[in-house]
Structure formats: structure tokens, C-alpha cells
Amino acid sequence: MEALESTLRSVLGPITQHLPAPLKSAGTQLIGESCYRSLVHDLTITDTVCLKLGISKALGVGIIAASSIVKIPQLLKLLNSQSAEGISFLSYFLETVSYLISLLYNVRNRFPFSTYGETALIGIQNVAISVLVLNYTGRGALAAAFVAGLAAVGYALYSETITSMATFQYLSTGAAIMGVASKLPQIYSCYKEQGTGQLSAFAVFNYLAGSLTRIFTTLQEVDDKIILYNFIAGFALNAILAAQMIYYWNSPTTGKTPEHKLTSAGKAALKEPIQQAAEQIQAQTSGTEKRSSPTTRRRG
């Protein structure tokens, strides 16, 4: 190992010891000054404590980066098929509420962003998917109420005057249970339909890998059993969902709609609500102009 370190220092040392200031600053903020000097500046790969932290931080950043697109294939599949067959709104509702509580719990505890950042990005995508599911199942009128309700809950949880940390502890435990329970309606839906419908394979398998990685990063960086048990339970149910995806891969009820690009049907479905919103704005503007325009009729 010492020979390997010596080789690395002779080859990479001139580079790692003279990195640009922005990169050095980012690295120091990510893993701390002592670990940055040990791993990057001195290339001491036998420093197991810093090495584990560095791996954990790298995995965390990777998860956050991947989470920005993890649900995009699911969105594309919904838009392309214009169908929510096989997708449980209850599952997305429970998961979104769970993510909202978990996100604000981490924010208020000031945990490292690299240990929970994906919850914000996935939560936003979940809201978009939930709105589409409601729309494609004939419950479009509930979409606005759903979004408004999430905003109200988010404000209440963020406010320390409304929600104390003692209360948040109980809510966080509930969120962990809710996060686990959110997978059950989807698992049951796949079992009932004997297929996965429009469920995205990309999202399912990425969730499985992400939940496994989060177990490791939580063990390394966060001393909170609630969060750890949440990820362990989530991994177990994600594994069941992934197994269903494989088992029902060739089922007639498993949708084969493209999930890697937006088709012409998907583009039309995406433009439709935008056009409707534009027409409503135009109609309201026209109505306002008519009401406010001066009359030319002579007054007697």
C-alpha cells in the first residue's frame, strides 16, 4: 500500500497540490480541511476514516445529481402514453408528503446537504407526476388542491413557531413509516394488474440503488436511527418493486411506451395545458380591457 501511495504521489501529487482555488475550496467544504489535506493534497489512501467520508460524500453528490433526472423517464412515459395505468396516486401522495417532512427535518437539524439533497429534487418531480396522474385518471380538479395543501404543510413545518422540534421528532417517525407505506400501494397495484403498466423501469432501479447508497452515507455521516431505519425499510420494498419489474417484464399489461424521449403525442399533451392556460390569461385580459375601456356613447 505504501508503494501505491508513493506512486500516486509522484504521478498525481503535482496536480493535486496545485489545484485551482475554487476546486480546493469546494473540496475543503465537502470533506473538511484535515481530510482534504490527507486525501487530496497528501494522497494518503490508507487514512480509512477520511477515505470512508470521501466515498460517502462522493456517493451523496452522485445521488443528488442523479435525482435531478431520476423521475424524468416516468414523466415522459406518462406524457407519451397519456395514461396513468398501473401507477398508484396514493403511493406518490404518501411518498411526496414523506419527502416533504424528511426534507424539512434535515434542514431544521442542519444536516449536510449531501445526505438529503435528493429529497428536494425528487419531491418536485413527484408533484409533477402526481398532477399528471390525477389529470389522466379524471381527477384534474384535485391537482390544484394537492399542490396548495403541500405548500401549506411545508410552511407549517418550516416555521419554528408553528412546529416545535419535539413535535417534528414524532412527525419524522411518521414520515419514515409513511415513506415505507408509500411503496405498498404500488406493489399491490402491480400484483393486482399482473404487470407494471406505465411504471418506469429506470426510476425503479435507480431508487433501489439510491436507497442502498443512502444506507451507507447515513451510517457514515448522520447519527440518526430514524433516518437510517427509513432507508433500510425503503430499500427492502424497493427491492420487491424491482423484482416485480423483472417478473412482469413481458406481461401484456406492462406498458412499452418510450421513456427516454418525448414523442409527438407527448409533446401535444405537454402543450395542451400550456395553451389552455394562455387562452385563459388572454380571455381574462380581454375581459379586463373591455370593462376598463372608456365608452364613446354621449350622455344625455
Side-chain angles (χ1 to χ4, degrees):
M1 191 62 71
E2 291 181 1
L4 177 59
E5 284 185 347
S6 178
T7 302
L8 289 174
R9 285 168 185 157
S10 63
V11 176
L12 300 177
I15 299 174
T16 60
Q17 292 176 11
H18 299 89
L19 291 173
L23 288 179
K24 183 178 179 180
S25 176
T28 302
Q29 291 180 3
L30 191 63
I31 60 176
E33 187 173 351
S34 61
C35 281
Y36 177 84
R37 174 165 289 278
S38 177
L39 292 179
V40 181
H41 188 274
D42 298 335
L43 293 171
T44 309
I45 59 176
T46 53
D47 187 344
T48 56
V49 174
C50 286
L51 185 61
K52 287 181 179 180
L53 177 62
I55 293 172
S56 177
K57 291 291 187 182
L59 289 172
V61 171
I63 291 175
I64 294 172
S67 68
S68 63
I69 62 167
V70 69
K71 293 295 184 77
I72 298 300
Q74 184 64 79
L75 283 166
L76 293 177
K77 203 163 187 179
L78 282 167
L79 289 168
N80 289 337
S81 66
Q82 298 183 46
S83 167
E85 181 185 3
I87 298 179
S88 168
F89 170 74
L90 178 59
S91 180
Y92 270 95
F93 172 78
L94 292 174
E95 183 180 64
T96 303
V97 174
S98 171
Y99 270 37
L100 179 62
I101 296 172
S102 177
L103 172 65
L104 293 173
Y105 178 77
N106 280 278
V107 169
R108 287 185 54 176
N109 277 286
R110 298 181 180 179
F111 290 139
F113 184 74
S114 60
T115 64
Y116 68 88
E118 76 278 4
T119 58
L121 298 173
I122 295 176
I124 293 171
Q125 294 170 75
N126 273 356
V127 172
I129 291 171
S130 299
V131 169
L132 287 177
V133 171
L134 286 172
N135 186 53
Y136 293 145
T137 54
R139 295 173 289 177
L142 295 176
F146 170 68
V147 175
L150 288 177
V153 171
Y155 175 78
L157 292 175
Y158 185 75
S159 173
E160 295 181 7
T161 58
I162 298 176
T163 308
S164 66
M165 279 307 300
T167 303
F168 224 141
Q169 290 286 345
Y170 293 108
L171 290 175
S172 184
T173 303
I177 297 172
M178 194 181 301
V180 173
S182 70
K183 304 297 179 184
L184 296 177
Q186 188 62 69
I187 291 172
Y188 175 73
S189 178
C190 292
Y191 171 75
K192 181 181 178 181
E193 300 294 332
Q194 294 294 291
T196 57
Q198 300 302 327
L199 193 63
S200 166
F202 179 86
V204 169
F205 289 113
N206 272 274
Y207 254 49
L208 180 64
S211 57
L212 177 60
T213 304
R214 271 299 172 224
I215 294 173
F216 176 78
T217 61
T218 302
L219 285 170
Q220 295 301 315
E221 300 183 59
V222 179
D223 184 19
D224 193 307
K225 298 299 183 184
I226 294 175
I227 295 177
L228 177 62
Y229 295 153
N230 184 20
F231 284 127
I232 292 174
F235 171 75
L237 291 180
N238 281 329
I240 295 174
L241 203 52
Q244 286 183 316
M245 181 64 69
I246 296 171
Y247 184 76
Y248 294 127
W249 191 265
N250 294 317
S251 170
T253 57
T254 297
K256 303 300 181 183
T257 308
E259 56 181 88
H260 62 283
K261 65 178 181 179
L262 198 61
T263 63
S264 56
K267 291 177 182 178
L270 185 60
K271 288 179 180 178
E272 184 178 349
I274 297 175
Q275 291 176 344
Q276 289 178 352
E279 289 173 359
Q280 289 178 357
I281 293 172
Q282 185 177 6
Q284 291 175 358
T285 304
S286 300
T288 303
E289 289 177 351
K290 288 179 180 179
R291 289 193 299 270
S292 60
S293 59
T295 179
T296 58
R297 187 178 62 185
R298 295 180 64 182
R299 299 181 184 272

